[in-house]
Amino acid sequence: MKILYVTNMYPSASYTYNGIHVKEQIDYLTKNYPLEKDIYFIDGGHSKINYFKSIFRANHLIKKTDYDVVHVHFGLSGLFLLVNPFLKTPVVLTIHGSDINSPKHFGLMRLVTKMIIPLVDRVIILNDKMLSKLSSQREKLVKIPCGINIDQFDSERINDGKKFVIGFPGNKDREVKNYPLFREIVTSVAARGVQVETVEFHNMTRAEVALNLSRLDCLLMTSHSEGSPQIIKEAMAGGVPIISANVGDVELVISDVENCCVINTYDPGDYIDEIMKLTALEPQQRITNGKHKLSLLGFDQQSVCSKVYELYRSLAK
């Protein structure tokens, strides 16, 4: 099968971590299944004009090449479908979170995504909250959260216990990540006499992510919305305690995992209380059984990609 991937989520020289999980999924699929790939990357971070260029360039690629399936990652990447609504090639759309949740710009991103969904054959969603938002298109929806290479992040913990190290999962400049709340929580914890160090997980290589996860006493997620955040799964693979707002599928993923907690509010005090419980533990006790939970959920790359491949097979011409 020959697959065209159209995505605005893919690593680039200026943003090496952008869409790395999309790249890893594509790489695993093409390495382990009889697939050929073409990738059309829409560098929207460099210039928003690239989205408009994609309308014509993506359709040109599809017209000149006999693809079996087109797989679009992120709603805005499917703009080309609006001018080619009768495309004969089967199209799969993976929704990643902010494309269906974002209220920014009067919900324009969400509106575009909902306009595109009726034009595709299948929609991969990452969690049940997406299912409720798209219930009118239920017959198209397939829940397949993105997977990870679990062993890649299963590193020996190297925290020396001198400081309590808290990870911020993402780019602090992105409004959706809610860095002001994270900063307020960390400042309050430090005011209680805890020596705190923070790590921002942004634009790191996979090796750097694994190394810095191994240093953490806690990953703290304060986001307003998420899909199925990869950093949560990566932290679980490394046995890192997680305290998170109830976003995306985090509650499903970390429920019943020791030393992990989901908070249903954005009250700083609720997060601080849970962090202080972790600070009371010895450094070697700040571990979890997250790797086992990931295996139970089938979030390893092999399990996830086998489902994606079978979806391709069911749709291919």
Side-chain angles (χ1 to χ4, degrees):
M1 276 187 287
K2 192 168 182 65
I3 314 294
L4 172 64
Y5 293 95
V6 182
T7 178
N8 64 352
M9 304 175 68
Y10 209 77
S12 64
S14 60
Y15 191 176
T16 58
Y17 193 66
N18 178 42
I20 186 69
H21 58 293
V22 173
K23 181 182 186 299
E24 288 174 345
Q25 184 181 101
I26 293 171
D27 288 348
Y28 190 95
L29 282 163
T30 52
K31 179 180 178 180
N32 294 279
Y33 297 94
L35 298 175
E36 296 178 56
K37 68 180 178 185
D38 281 338
I39 297 170
Y40 178 61
F41 171 50
I42 305 168
D43 193 353
H46 179 73
S47 173
K48 297 297 185 286
I49 294 175
N50 288 327
Y51 285 108
F52 294 100
K53 290 180 179 178
S54 73
I55 294 172
F56 306 101
R57 292 179 178 176
N59 278 315
H60 176 69
L61 278 172
I62 294 167
K63 184 177 180 180
K64 77 172 186 177
T65 307
D66 187 23
Y67 293 109
D68 294 287
V69 175
V70 176
H71 190 161
V72 179
H73 281 275
F74 203 85
L76 279 182
S77 301
L79 279 172
F80 68 94
L81 293 168
L82 297 179
V83 300
N84 194 0
F86 303 110
L87 182 66
K88 293 182 179 180
T89 306
V91 180
V92 176
L93 168 66
T94 295
I95 294 175
H96 285 271
S98 58
D99 44 358
I100 198 64
N101 295 321
S102 177
K104 293 181 68 175
H105 308 303
F106 306 101
L108 181 60
M109 192 182 303
R110 184 172 56 206
L111 175 62
V112 170
T113 300
K114 288 192 172 185
M115 290 172 64
I116 289 167
I117 287 173
L119 306 177
V120 307
D121 297 272
R122 292 290 186 276
V123 180
I124 295 177
I125 57 173
L126 307 182
N127 57 60
D128 289 335
K129 293 178 182 177
M130 292 180 176
L131 176 65
S132 64
K133 287 178 179 289
L134 300 171
S135 57
S136 63
Q137 299 287 336
R138 186 178 294 268
E139 73 283 355
K140 292 186 177 183
L141 306 183
V142 183
K143 188 169 75 169
I144 310 178
C146 295
I148 68 165
N149 179 349
I150 293 176
D151 293 335
Q152 186 176 17
F153 302 97
D154 184 16
S155 303
E156 183 179 352
R157 305 293 290 286
I158 59 173
N159 191 326
D160 59 13
K162 294 180 179 179
K163 292 184 177 180
F164 190 86
V165 186
I166 304 177
F168 180 71
N171 180 355
K172 63 184 181 183
D173 292 329
R174 290 188 62 200
E175 183 180 346
V176 71
K177 298 298 182 180
N178 198 8
Y179 179 71
L181 176 58
F182 176 91
R183 183 179 58 212
E184 181 179 355
I185 294 167
V186 169
T187 300
S188 296
V189 170
R192 298 187 181 200
V194 180
Q195 289 285 100
V196 177
E197 178 184 346
T198 61
V199 178
E200 180 187 7
F201 284 85
H202 170 55
N203 217 18
M204 294 181 180
T205 66
R206 306 314 270 149
E208 288 169 340
V209 170
L211 175 63
N212 280 284
L213 282 173
S214 71
R215 298 177 55 232
L216 296 187
D217 292 290
C218 170
L219 183 77
L220 173 60
M221 176 170 279
T222 53
S223 300
H224 292 299
S225 70
E226 293 283 348
S228 181
Q230 293 299 97
I231 190 66
I232 292 290
K233 301 166 196 169
E234 292 160 4
M236 288 177 67
V240 178
I242 299 165
I243 297 172
S244 175
N246 191 359
V247 289
D249 63 354
V250 173
E251 185 172 30
L252 166 70
V253 176
I254 69 174
S255 68
D256 300 322
V257 178
E258 59 194 23
N259 290 329
C260 292
C261 180
V262 172
I263 308 292
N264 289 308
T265 76
Y266 288 97
D267 182 340
D270 293 336
Y271 296 82
I272 294 166
D273 289 345
E274 294 299 329
I275 290 175
M276 296 308 296
K277 291 178 185 177
L278 289 175
T279 65
L281 300 175
E282 294 297 322
Q284 64 270 22
Q285 295 177 308
R286 298 167 193 158
I287 57 173
T288 79
N289 57 334
K291 182 178 178 180
H292 177 66
K293 180 66 181 292
L294 287 175
S295 298
L296 290 178
L297 290 171
F299 282 179
D300 57 287
Q301 198 70 272
Q302 179 181 358
S303 298
V304 168
C305 286
S306 67
K307 295 176 184 177
V308 175
Y309 176 67
E310 288 305 317
L311 180 59
Y312 291 166
R313 289 206 338 151
S314 71
L315 293 172
K317 293 180 291 183

